[in-house]
Amino acid sequence: MSVVHQIQPAFTVDDSSLLETDLTTCHLLVLVGAGSFSYVVFEPVENKFLAMKSYRFEPQKAAVAELEMIEQVFDADRLLFTAFRSVLLAFDLSNQTLIPAKFYNSNLKKEYLHLLFPEKMQEAVLTDTIDELEVVNVYGLDKDLVGFLRKEFSTDKVINANTALLRSYVYDRDYQQRDGIVYIEIQQPKVTLTAYAFGRLLCQQEFNFQGGLDIVYYLTNMLRQLNLDEQKAQVKLGGAVTEADALVEELRSFVPQVQWQERLPGFLYIGKMQELPAHYFQNLYALALCV
């Protein structure tokens, strides 16, 4: 007999404006990760985020088990069945690789991905074109999971979560640093490192980690491979971490100039969202750049 888990949101942020708004004019932006399901309600006329909710559960080894947990989120959250203007599905649990647009051949998308990652059963290989960076993001998703969510939300809008992150960094005033800048996005147990110099994307890599020293190693190795000066390159940290976390202390012991990422500019946030640290849920808010 299967075990039924009581799903409760880890974060819930909204106010009366949600009830006062015609949600059929809003976009629902959904982010699915390993052991997580989050969404934000986005009103496009005012460029305003009206509500956010994030569920956390134990990451499941099998895709079918992950799907069962997400089904329980649907059972618990009736807002997901609202007739929104559109629904965007973003996935943060896939293998991916970035290909320069000028070298990309759509007939070879599977080959690009499987050159780095073994082919999986029931895998759908999808792509996102990021025109502003002149790259194509090639990634693989479980067919059953993406098929279930497409059907439940009646949407064909699917992207990789890192596509949104890549676009969001372009809005940071520091991304054109001549000495280079590395953005660190922490979504335990995974960390994503993205490097730019002179406004040009140099590299994006994902790693599993256990502590701050692992991140220090990955960061140092990336900077050296890209020939960026470890003492001059800027580092910005984002994700659901705080100054009190041990991994942040370990990171600062080797990278004293690390800064927190700022809230994505050009958007309005309800008051309760502004009470959260600015670097929280950047990967979720960034989905508004992909609508």
Side-chain angles (χ1 to χ4, degrees):
M1 182 175 65
S2 61
V3 178
V4 177
H5 300 262
Q6 185 65 35
I7 296 291
Q8 296 291 338
F11 283 91
T12 300
V13 182
D14 61 23
D15 62 16
S16 60
S17 62
L18 184 65
L19 298 176
E20 299 167 355
T21 304
D22 179 5
L23 296 183
T24 62
T25 67
C26 298
H27 301 290
L28 181 68
L29 312 177
V30 179
L31 179 60
V32 182
S36 68
F37 183 97
S38 306
Y39 67 81
V40 65
V41 177
F42 175 60
E43 200 284 305
V45 175
E46 295 187 10
N47 262 9
K48 186 174 183 179
F49 297 106
L50 302 180
M52 184 272 292
K53 192 172 289 187
S54 182
Y55 294 86
R56 294 289 189 269
F57 46 87
E58 187 67 26
Q60 307 296 303
K61 293 182 179 180
V64 63
E66 194 85 10
L67 182 54
E68 290 176 354
M69 300 299 291
I70 292 175
E71 287 177 331
Q72 292 180 44
V73 172
F74 273 81
D75 291 339
D77 195 332
R78 307 315 297 173
L79 182 64
L80 295 174
F81 294 94
T82 302
F84 291 97
R85 177 178 175 180
S86 75
V87 179
L88 175 67
L89 302 174
F91 293 86
D92 192 23
L93 40 67
S94 58
N95 295 328
Q96 69 156 118
T97 185
L98 298 174
I99 308 296
K102 62 181 179 181
F103 297 127
Y104 176 72
N105 183 335
S106 60
N107 295 322
L108 299 175
K109 64 180 182 179
K110 290 185 177 180
E111 284 75 8
Y112 294 134
L113 186 65
H114 298 147
L115 182 64
L116 298 174
F117 305 100
E119 185 173 359
K120 295 181 179 180
M121 295 290 292
Q122 293 294 311
E123 182 182 47
V125 178
L126 307 177
T127 62
D128 300 332
T129 300
I130 310 174
D131 292 327
E132 54 267 54
L133 297 174
E134 299 182 336
V135 297
V136 178
N137 191 353
V138 183
Y139 55 98
L141 295 173
D142 179 80
K143 287 183 178 179
D144 291 336
L145 178 58
V146 69
F148 168 79
L149 290 173
R150 274 175 163 169
K151 181 179 179 180
E152 289 294 316
F153 285 114
S154 299
T155 184
D156 288 324
K157 296 183 177 181
V158 175
I159 65 168
N160 181 271
N162 283 339
T163 295
L165 275 180
L166 286 165
R167 285 180 170 151
S168 71
Y169 296 146
V170 176
Y171 287 79
D172 178 34
R173 64 177 181 271
D174 293 325
Y175 100 103
Q176 296 192 18
Q177 288 283 334
R178 60 179 298 175
D179 293 317
I181 183 169
V182 178
Y183 297 93
I184 301 176
E185 178 70 19
I186 297 177
Q187 299 295 329
Q188 298 192 41
K190 184 185 69 173
V191 60
T192 303
L193 278 68
T194 308
Y196 293 86
F198 292 100
R200 182 168 64 92
L201 175 65
L202 301 180
C203 183
Q204 185 180 70
Q205 293 181 318
E206 291 185 348
F207 306 96
N208 288 329
F209 74 97
Q210 294 183 339
L213 294 180
D214 293 333
I215 299 176
V216 170
Y217 169 79
Y218 297 135
L219 173 63
T220 302
N221 190 47
M222 173 181 281
L223 291 172
R224 291 176 179 175
Q225 288 184 349
L226 297 174
N227 294 316
L228 296 176
D229 191 325
E230 299 171 38
Q231 301 303 313
K232 294 182 179 180
Q234 194 170 353
V235 177
K236 288 197 172 183
L237 181 62
V241 290
T242 69
E243 193 73 51
D245 289 331
L247 67 88
V248 175
E249 181 180 350
E250 292 174 327
L251 185 60
R252 285 194 184 280
S253 65
F254 288 87
V255 190
Q257 72 275 28
V258 67
Q259 302 174 21
W260 292 107
Q261 290 182 33
E262 300 170 355
R263 191 171 282 109
L264 190 63
F267 294 93
L268 298 177
Y269 303 80
I270 63 172
K272 292 181 179 179
M273 289 177 179
Q274 297 182 49
E275 293 173 4
L276 295 173
H279 60 275
Y280 272 31
F281 299 107
Q282 288 282 43
N283 58 342
L284 182 57
Y285 296 133
L287 300 183
L289 300 172
C290 302
V291 174

